[in-house]
Amino acid sequence: MSKLIRVRAGLLRETHPGERRVALTPDDVGRLSERISFRFEPGCGVGAGHSDDGYIAAGAEPADFAEMASSSDLFVSVRQPIAARVFPAAAVLLFLGSFRGSKTTQVAIPPARQPLHLDIARLSGMSGQKGADISSRQAAITGHAAVLEAARQFGISHPMLLADGSFVRPVKMAALGSDPASLQALATARRLGALTYGFGLAKDSQAKIERLGAKFLGTSSEQELARLRQDLSGALSKMQLITTNIMCPGRSAPVLLNEEMLSKLSPGTVIVDLAAESGGNCALTRADETTDIFGIRIVGSTTLASQEAAEASRHFSDGLRNLLEHLIDAHGALRLDGGDSVTAALLDERSPARHAWS
């Protein structure tokens, strides 16, 4: 009987400022130990509440990046590793990128010398497939965190708090987008007592938004951007909290709120631009910065999911374990078969976003 040869994998520590999630929890490292031999960067799970001792108890070995890079076949992380990290040409990198329009720049390396990048975001929309829910679950957590952050920035702990026996006037909240993050933002805001409104460009946007009890901001969605802005401007000027997350596949996010629109918003309005990493839906959004202008505040955080790092990491790890169990067979071999729908999507840089703006 041949000896089982396990895939050698490296669990990376996240390097993006403010990122506290970890791709795999110790529990899932242990569950994968029959197929994968893990090394991990010390401290990789601390932000999500997992100690190095927990990974060691699960069978993983601590190693610095240089040591890991020289002895691993597969590397896993939440975010795409920074370009400064050099991996072997034969390595496989598995991560959740910003496939729908990231502005991430990579060092120019000849294709033959580049490791294989498998972006889990390419599985989005593949219902029922292994790992397909990773992106949507992280987006939902981001949408929930976005509303809580907006409420904190706005200076409220609950839109319907009792004050001296009287109800505080409900906050009006709008979500631009019908993706999982935007829908979760609507659901969270409604649970907090806000009056909710939504807008999206996908064909089923209205049904999704109204199913959550929000009012659809009806506009001529087929119109050019200038007309779209005009249609939305009046409704948005009445809002106190706004989240935006409308994307164009493979391109920068469209600017839905230009400077003129921003200047007409009610003083004190808080916008959380979830498209910040792709350029932003607001003309003045700055990724990972908070901008105060015209008496309003624009939050461009790209690490909102890290505000709930333990829960986000648990969901990420669960989905990643399922995906790895699909890609690595019982004999410990990594299978990248283009005939398999999951693998084909991971290998296809055009997937998954063939759909229109959400």
Side-chain angles (χ1 to χ4, degrees):
M1 182 179 293
S2 60
K3 183 179 179 182
L4 175 66
I5 301 177
R6 296 180 293 173
V7 171
R8 300 173 301 173
L11 175 58
L12 300 175
R13 184 176 61 244
E14 301 299 318
T15 55
H16 187 94
E19 181 57 72
R20 298 171 54 230
R21 292 173 292 175
V22 66
L24 286 169
T25 64
D27 284 346
D28 284 323
V29 166
R31 292 187 181 103
L32 291 166
S33 61
E34 290 187 3
R35 305 186 190 197
I36 305 175
S37 173
F38 278 102
R39 287 190 171 186
F40 70 95
E41 283 191 282
C44 65
V46 171
H50 302 293
S51 67
D52 291 350
D53 288 343
Y55 287 102
I56 293 171
E61 298 180 5
D64 62 30
F65 177 73
E67 183 180 8
M68 187 184 297
S70 66
S71 60
S72 299
D73 314 300
L74 172 69
F75 297 85
V76 295
S77 59
V78 174
R79 289 177 176 260
Q80 181 173 0
I82 58 175
R85 286 196 152 185
V86 180
F87 296 87
V92 175
L93 310 185
L94 190 58
F95 55 86
L96 178 62
S98 298
F99 186 73
R100 296 174 67 198
S102 174
K103 287 188 172 181
T104 302
T105 56
Q106 296 295 317
V107 174
I109 301 175
R113 295 174 55 195
Q114 290 184 22
L116 181 61
H117 289 65
L118 301 182
D119 186 348
I120 300 168
R122 295 173 188 161
L123 299 177
S124 299
M126 295 182 64
S127 179
Q129 298 293 341
K130 298 291 186 180
D133 61 344
I134 294 176
S135 182
S136 61
R137 287 189 179 187
Q138 296 303 299
I141 290 171
T142 296
H144 178 263
V147 171
L148 298 184
E149 176 63 18
R152 186 184 71 81
Q153 295 279 353
F154 194 69
I156 56 175
S157 57
H158 195 297
M160 291 291 286
L161 269 179
L162 283 171
D164 299 326
S166 301
F167 280 105
V168 174
R169 185 178 181 180
V171 165
K172 290 185 177 181
M173 177 270 186
L176 303 186
S178 58
D179 60 289
S182 298
L183 295 175
Q184 185 60 54
L186 283 173
T188 301
R190 184 171 175 80
R191 285 196 297 270
L192 291 176
L195 299 178
T196 52
Y197 302 79
F199 169 76
L201 286 166
K203 291 182 179 180
D204 58 351
S205 293
Q206 183 170 355
K208 289 180 177 179
I209 288 166
E210 292 181 344
R211 195 177 299 131
L212 293 172
K215 182 177 179 180
F216 185 70
L217 296 175
T219 69
S220 303
S221 60
E222 298 299 323
Q223 298 287 348
E224 60 184 8
L225 262 178
R227 176 62 182 274
L228 180 59
R229 293 178 184 132
Q230 181 180 346
D231 288 345
L232 288 172
S233 184
L236 295 181
S237 67
K238 301 173 184 177
M239 303 296 156
Q240 288 84 51
L241 302 182
I242 301 171
T243 64
T244 69
N245 196 30
I246 291 195
M247 305 279 203
C248 293
R251 291 182 286 161
S252 297
V255 176
L256 299 181
L257 286 84
N258 57 21
E259 289 194 39
E260 180 182 1
M261 291 176 68
L262 293 171
S263 69
K264 293 179 180 179
L265 296 180
S266 300
T269 297
V270 175
I271 302 172
V272 180
D273 193 338
L274 298 177
E277 195 166 9
S278 298
N281 291 142
C282 299
L284 301 176
T285 296
R286 299 292 179 267
D288 294 312
E289 295 181 14
T290 297
T291 304
D292 292 298
I293 191 168
F294 304 131
I296 67 171
R297 178 164 291 182
I298 305 170
V299 179
S301 174
T302 64
T303 57
L304 286 167
S306 285
Q307 294 185 11
E308 302 177 22
E311 185 70 4
S313 296
R314 184 178 69 81
H315 284 293
F316 194 105
S317 180
D318 182 63
L320 183 56
R321 173 177 53 79
N322 285 328
L323 178 58
L324 289 171
E325 287 174 343
H326 178 80
L327 297 176
I328 299 172
D329 64 26
H331 302 290
L334 177 62
R335 297 179 296 123
L336 295 179
D337 179 8
D340 170 65
S341 60
V342 173
T343 306
L346 286 171
L347 294 171
D348 185 359
E349 294 187 356
R350 295 168 299 176
S351 301
R354 298 188 180 95
H355 44 74
W357 299 350
S358 58

